[in-house]
Amino acid sequence: MSSTDKVILVTGGAGYIGSHTALLLLEAGYKVYIIDNLDNSVEEAIERVAKLAGKYRKNLFFYKVDLRNKDQLEKIFSMVRFDAVVHFAGLKAVGESVAKPLLYHENNLIGTLNLLDLMNEHGCTKLVFSSSATVYGQPKSVPCTEDFPLSATNPYGRTKLFIEEIIRDVQKADPEWSVILLRYFNPVGAHQSGLIGEDPRGIPNNLMPFVQQVAVGRLAELSVFGTDYPTRDGTGVRDYIHVMDLADGHIAALRKLFTGAKGCSVYNLGTGRGTSVLEIVAAFERASGKKIPLKFIGRRAGDSSEVYASTEKVERELHWRARYGIDEMCRDQWNWARENPWGYRAPDSMQQSVESSRF
Ligand code: NAD
Ligand code: WQD
């Protein structure tokens, strides 16, 4: 069976990472069914994926479904036989998860339980799950290797930790299951076309979208959280990874599953290099030609000083490594921002309400 015959369910495929991955899956010849409740995304993103996919657009399907609605989800599983699932759908804002823990546990855990149950029922036993470096908590050292102790510092992180454990249990109970847990570090950037990218609702929580919105004039200045960390310039260091590299990591994971990988494996998706807040700002200024006004304030609660990935295991076992550096990440982030200063929507546009469509 070539990838052309394979059918992949992509949950959360209208979102930032899901849309970029859906495009690469289509280009690799897979048939892609996206389900998304559009809670943090718009259907326009899927339309743009279809446009970019060109001749492969006929292999893209979208259903507006909430994973918590098991009846609707069951209908899709009864209709299509999936060869594998890539599970992105979930809520991801750390601060919001602290304020609304039940919402996060309900959405992320119930959604995943429904999905796993239906996969079991319908004999679909190949899964790639979007985990996060957040499961390393505040790591005691860097680089983070996959066997570091796991912990969570907020409810969002706890949902990732719980889901990882639930999936491990499911796989242990039925060795037919083969699963890859991918722990993303800090995804940034956009597809080189500038047609798809990250479009957060409200004030961004993460550094790169915040910097982008300052550059296009939507926000006045960037607050730098902490200048007294034991790092090169005192600001926090993270492992930023281009979203196209990240998307490519999912292709590598599926390839591994389809070539007979067994069990439940976990891999970091990062570059293995750390970059400070001030280095990101400088790179973005170079890429955009815009000055980013800064305000230096105190540390953000719960932040680590320095987090970056060990990429040894993923390079060795999935034969994947990130290709892009910070300059390319900023170039593509700026390209997306310049073309779409308000994201997918005009400032006052309404949410779309299409139930399902075929492209
Ligand atoms: P995103 O919010 O852009 O995409 C998630 C998508 O899931 C959205 O389109 C949303 O509408 C959908 N969704 C949420 N709950 C749903 C539900 N109950 N039913 C159906 N659809 C639902 O986020 P993203 O940045 O693309 O992240 C994708 C995944 O990767 C998430 O699981 C996230 O936790 C994880 N992750 C993201 C990052 C990051 O920094 N972006 C880092 C590590 C891990
Ligand atoms: C990066 C650096 C901040 C905003 C978060 C989640 C994690 C994962 C990725 C999902 C830090 C500094 C930020 C700002 C700043 N997501 N910063 N001013 O905290 O590494 O990780 O996103 O799984 O779970 O916690 O990313 O982009 O928020 O911060 O100075 O306005 O930028 O202090 O050093 P983080 P981030």
Side-chain angles (χ1 to χ4, degrees):
M1 215 182 191
S2 74
S3 59
T4 341
D5 307 313
K6 299 246 163 63
V7 184
I8 314 293
L9 174 64
V10 178
T11 75
Y16 173 43
I17 305 168
S19 56
H20 290 78
T21 305
L23 176 60
L24 281 197
L25 286 169
L26 289 165
E27 288 175 349
Y30 291 104
K31 207 173 244 185
V32 173
Y33 282 76
I34 291 178
I35 58 176
D36 198 302
N37 64 1
L38 302 183
D39 182 79
N40 194 36
S41 50
V42 289
E43 199 179 343
E44 173 69 16
I46 302 174
E47 281 159 14
R48 294 194 189 184
V49 168
K51 187 172 170 188
L52 287 167
K55 65 175 179 169
Y56 295 110
R57 65 186 294 152
K58 65 177 193 321
N59 291 334
L60 176 62
F61 304 84
F62 168 56
Y63 290 89
K64 186 181 171 194
V65 169
D66 191 308
L67 286 183
R68 288 166 297 180
N69 187 334
K70 203 170 176 183
D71 291 342
Q72 278 190 20
L73 199 54
E74 162 65 37
K75 283 193 187 124
I76 296 190
F77 271 90
S78 306
M79 208 170 60
V80 189
R81 205 191 66 76
F82 297 112
D83 294 296
V85 174
V86 185
H87 179 30
F88 293 103
L91 296 173
K92 62 161 183 179
V94 171
E96 187 185 51
S97 81
V98 175
K100 300 177 183 170
L102 289 177
L103 173 67
Y104 271 66
H105 286 298
E106 198 233 354
N107 190 78
N108 295 1
L109 292 173
I110 304 291
T112 302
L113 289 175
N114 286 343
L115 178 70
L116 295 173
D117 198 31
L118 287 170
M119 287 176 69
N120 237 343
E121 219 171 89
H122 291 266
C124 174
T125 51
K126 291 186 173 27
L127 172 68
V128 177
F129 172 63
S130 300
S131 190
S132 166
T134 192
V135 300
Y136 296 122
Q138 293 200 310
K140 292 209 166 28
S141 61
V142 280
C144 300
T145 55
E146 287 84 349
D147 56 2
F148 267 26
L150 304 183
S151 68
T153 54
N154 55 69
Y156 163 72
R158 236 168 324 271
T159 68
K160 290 293 174 198
L161 208 53
F162 292 165
I163 294 171
E164 281 203 5
E165 297 292 5
I166 291 167
I167 292 174
R168 272 189 266 273
D169 286 342
V170 168
Q171 196 283 325
K172 249 182 241 156
D174 180 357
E176 266 305 300
W177 277 73
S178 47
V179 181
I180 293 186
L181 310 173
L182 296 175
R183 294 184 183 146
Y184 314 154
F185 280 67
N186 292 61
V188 297
H191 186 260
Q192 287 79 356
S193 64
L195 270 182
I196 54 173
E198 187 173 14
D199 182 17
R201 287 194 204 293
I203 307 277
N205 302 297
N206 297 116
L207 178 65
M208 191 63 106
F210 202 107
V211 169
Q212 162 185 336
Q213 292 197 13
V214 174
V216 298
R218 285 172 67 176
L219 296 167
E221 61 189 8
L222 171 75
S223 293
V224 177
F225 300 148
T227 52
D228 58 349
Y229 285 111
T231 58
R232 314 186 257 286
D233 58 23
T235 65
V237 166
R238 296 290 183 275
D239 188 338
Y240 299 92
I241 171 167
H242 197 297
V243 67
M244 293 307 293
D245 275 331
L246 197 67
D248 190 49
H250 295 73
I251 307 288
L254 280 175
R255 200 182 306 125
K256 184 86 175 169
L257 292 182
F258 285 133
T259 50
K262 288 279 160 231
C264 179
S265 311
V266 51
Y267 299 101
N268 288 335
L269 289 184
T271 63
R273 284 185 300 276
T275 306
S276 75
V277 174
L278 293 182
E279 286 164 350
I280 287 285
V281 168
F284 200 91
E285 287 183 338
R286 281 197 303 278
S288 64
K290 303 278 179 188
K291 184 89 199 129
I292 307 295
L294 302 179
K295 186 167 138 193
F296 294 94
I297 64 171
R299 295 181 178 192
R300 182 172 65 178
D303 268 358
S304 297
S305 154
E306 188 167 22
V307 183
Y308 59 87
S310 161
T311 57
E312 237 175 71
K313 186 179 176 200
V314 69
E315 285 180 25
R316 192 176 61 241
E317 295 185 13
L318 294 191
H319 312 294
W320 170 93
R321 78 152 52 136
R323 282 177 299 170
Y324 300 114
I326 289 297
D327 288 332
E328 289 142 324
M329 298 179 210
C330 290
R331 176 198 68 196
D332 295 335
Q333 183 90 26
W334 172 240
N335 190 33
W336 154 251
R338 195 179 39 190
E339 300 287 330
N340 308 270
W342 292 95
Y344 290 111
R345 298 153 283 204
D348 55 354
S349 73
M350 301 281 292
Q351 268 282 11
Q352 301 182 29
S353 61
V354 180
E355 290 305 308
S356 80
S357 354
R358 184 181 172 160
F359 293 91

